[in-house]
């Protein structure tokens, strides 16, 4: 792909805010995304992810704040932004009644791909998606992973500088997810900036940097390693025992446990002092009739980090409300 000369930042936001009446959906977010970076935007449902992306894509006007996407102002150059970006949603945005080739032709027209470039770009999509032999197959008959690759190719037909992916791997099998991320790495290596939302924590590990948004606010920003090494206030205690679903309630009720959750067959506990909690936890579970295996402090996962940060934010808000009361 022949991309324009890279700039220092593909996306910049300064105090970006969006209100719907009295409700603050996005609360003064500031961040920068470098050209060619894979940037993960994470948060629970209703956190403000989609509202932020709609503002970045020129689909929604901010209430206040400033920002740029691909060098264009999100307040005054929204049409220019739409031409400079690619967008792919979890529903793939394809027409099932059209063939693979017809979908590519349709999106070439939507994205105003020059006539002289259309055949080259179509050939690139078919090759990238490994769909050359299926170019005349009706899209609705394709497996989910193939549709996913075709949708990505259609979003890249006009060679955008910034690609927005909204839950792009939702509903596809793990092998297809891994293959899709290989394609994302290829795009980033060619200078395309990838701004992706996902609820798969293992996918967050694939990103160069991450932003966690919660209740409209930016809670954390950094690399996956930084988040696990420096942003985790609590320690994590991993417990292996039988009937872990039942044991979870006993573990969560112990003094010093800030949060408890199931991770597979194990229980992860957030606490200030894992070494002090471990013997009390083992004793409490044994006295309740559970067979206890290993009880050990572990390196937190990204999911542990996010749970800890969100719990800390909720505790701080609760303490502030009590103080005001």
């Amino acid at each position: 792909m022949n991309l324009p000369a890279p700039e220092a930042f593909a996306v910049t936001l300064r105090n970006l805010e969006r209100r719907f009446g009295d409700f603050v959906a996005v609360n003064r977010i500031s961040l920068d995304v470098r050209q060619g970076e894979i940037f993960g935007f994470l948060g629970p449902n209703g956190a403000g992810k989609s509202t932020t992306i709609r503002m970045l894509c020129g689909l929604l006007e901010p209430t206040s704040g400033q920002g740029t996407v691909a060098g264009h102002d999100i307040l005054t150059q929204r049409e220019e932004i739409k031409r400079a970006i690619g967008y792919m949603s979890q529903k793939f945005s394809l027409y099932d009644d059209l063939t693979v080739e017809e979908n590519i032709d349709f999106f070439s027209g939507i994205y105003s791909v020059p006539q002289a470039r259309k055949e080259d770009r179509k050939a690139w999509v078919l090759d990238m998606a490994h769909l050359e032999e299926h170019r005349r197959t009706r899209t609705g008959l394709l497996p989910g992973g193939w549709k996913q690759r075709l949708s990505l190719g259609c979003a890249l037909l006009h060679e955008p500088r910034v690609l927005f992916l909204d839950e792009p791997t939702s509903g596809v099998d793990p092998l297809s997810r891994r293959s899709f991320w290989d394609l994302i790495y290829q795009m980033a290596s060619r200078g395309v900036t990838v701004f992706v939302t996902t609820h798969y924590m293992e996918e967050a590990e694939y990103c160069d940097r991450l932003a966690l948004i919660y209740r409209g606010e930016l809670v954390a920003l950094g690399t996956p390693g930084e988040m696990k090494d420096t942003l985790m206030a609590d320690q994590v205690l991993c417990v292996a025992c039988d009937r872990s679903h039942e044991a979870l309630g006993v573990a969560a009720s112990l003094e010093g446990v800030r949060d408890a959750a199931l991770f597979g067959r194990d229980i992860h506990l957030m606490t200030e002092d894992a070494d002090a909690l471990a013997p009390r936890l083992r004793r409490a579970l044994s006295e309740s009739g559970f067979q206890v295996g290993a009880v050990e402090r572990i390196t937190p996962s990204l999911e542990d980090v996010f749970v800890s940060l969100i719990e800390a934010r909720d505790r701080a808000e609760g303490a502030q409300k009590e103080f005001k009361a």
Side-chain angles (χ1 to χ4, degrees), residues 10-211:
V11 177
T12 67
L13 298 180
R14 294 293 179 270
N15 297 317
L16 189 69
E17 183 178 78
R18 176 66 199 196
R19 293 175 176 267
F20 296 95
D22 294 331
F23 175 68
V24 182
V26 176
N27 190 3
R28 300 177 65 81
I29 288 180
S30 296
L31 57 83
D32 296 314
V33 180
R34 291 185 290 271
Q35 186 74 28
E37 186 172 34
I38 301 174
F39 188 83
F41 200 49
L42 310 177
N45 290 337
K49 300 190 303 296
S50 296
T51 301
T52 302
I53 286 180
R54 289 176 64 196
M55 288 189 284
L56 294 179
C57 292
L59 302 174
L60 184 65
E61 186 175 355
T63 303
S64 64
Q66 299 175 322
T68 63
V69 174
H72 301 298
D73 191 295
I74 64 173
L75 299 176
T76 62
Q77 297 178 299
R78 284 189 281 172
E79 290 306 313
E80 289 86 343
I81 287 174
K82 292 175 186 177
R83 290 192 291 269
I85 66 171
Y87 174 76
M88 174 183 167
S89 72
Q90 58 182 302
K91 295 181 180 178
F92 304 150
S93 304
L94 298 171
Y95 291 91
D96 284 346
D97 290 338
L98 300 181
T99 66
V100 167
E101 188 171 28
E102 287 169 343
N103 262 295
I104 296 173
D105 290 339
F106 174 78
F107 283 100
S108 289
I110 290 293
Y111 288 127
S112 300
V113 176
Q115 188 64 40
R117 294 280 293 148
K118 284 187 176 181
E119 286 305 312
D120 285 344
R121 296 305 298 149
K122 182 192 296 186
W124 178 84
V125 172
L126 291 171
D127 179 66
M128 181 274 293
H130 305 300
L131 287 171
E132 175 60 44
E133 295 181 2
H134 302 279
R135 61 193 301 159
R136 293 180 178 83
T137 299
R138 191 162 63 85
T139 301
L141 300 177
L142 296 176
W146 295 14
K147 281 187 180 181
Q148 183 189 55
R149 295 197 302 266
L150 176 59
S151 183
L152 177 65
C154 289
L156 290 165
L157 272 166
H158 56 309
E159 302 177 89
R161 297 164 59 184
V162 184
L163 177 63
F164 288 93
L165 304 175
D166 189 11
E167 301 281 356
T169 61
S170 179
V172 300
D173 62 88
L175 185 60
S176 295
R177 270 208 304 274
R178 178 66 259 190
S179 175
F180 184 79
W181 274 93
D182 289 339
L183 294 174
I184 292 177
Y185 286 140
Q186 291 178 27
M187 297 305 103
S189 71
R190 297 174 183 177
V192 177
T193 304
V194 181
F195 196 108
V196 58
T197 70
T198 178
H199 64 270
Y200 294 111
M201 287 298 107
E202 69 271 21
E203 287 191 344
E205 298 275 6
Y206 303 153
C207 298
D208 297 319
R209 284 192 307 137
L210 304 168

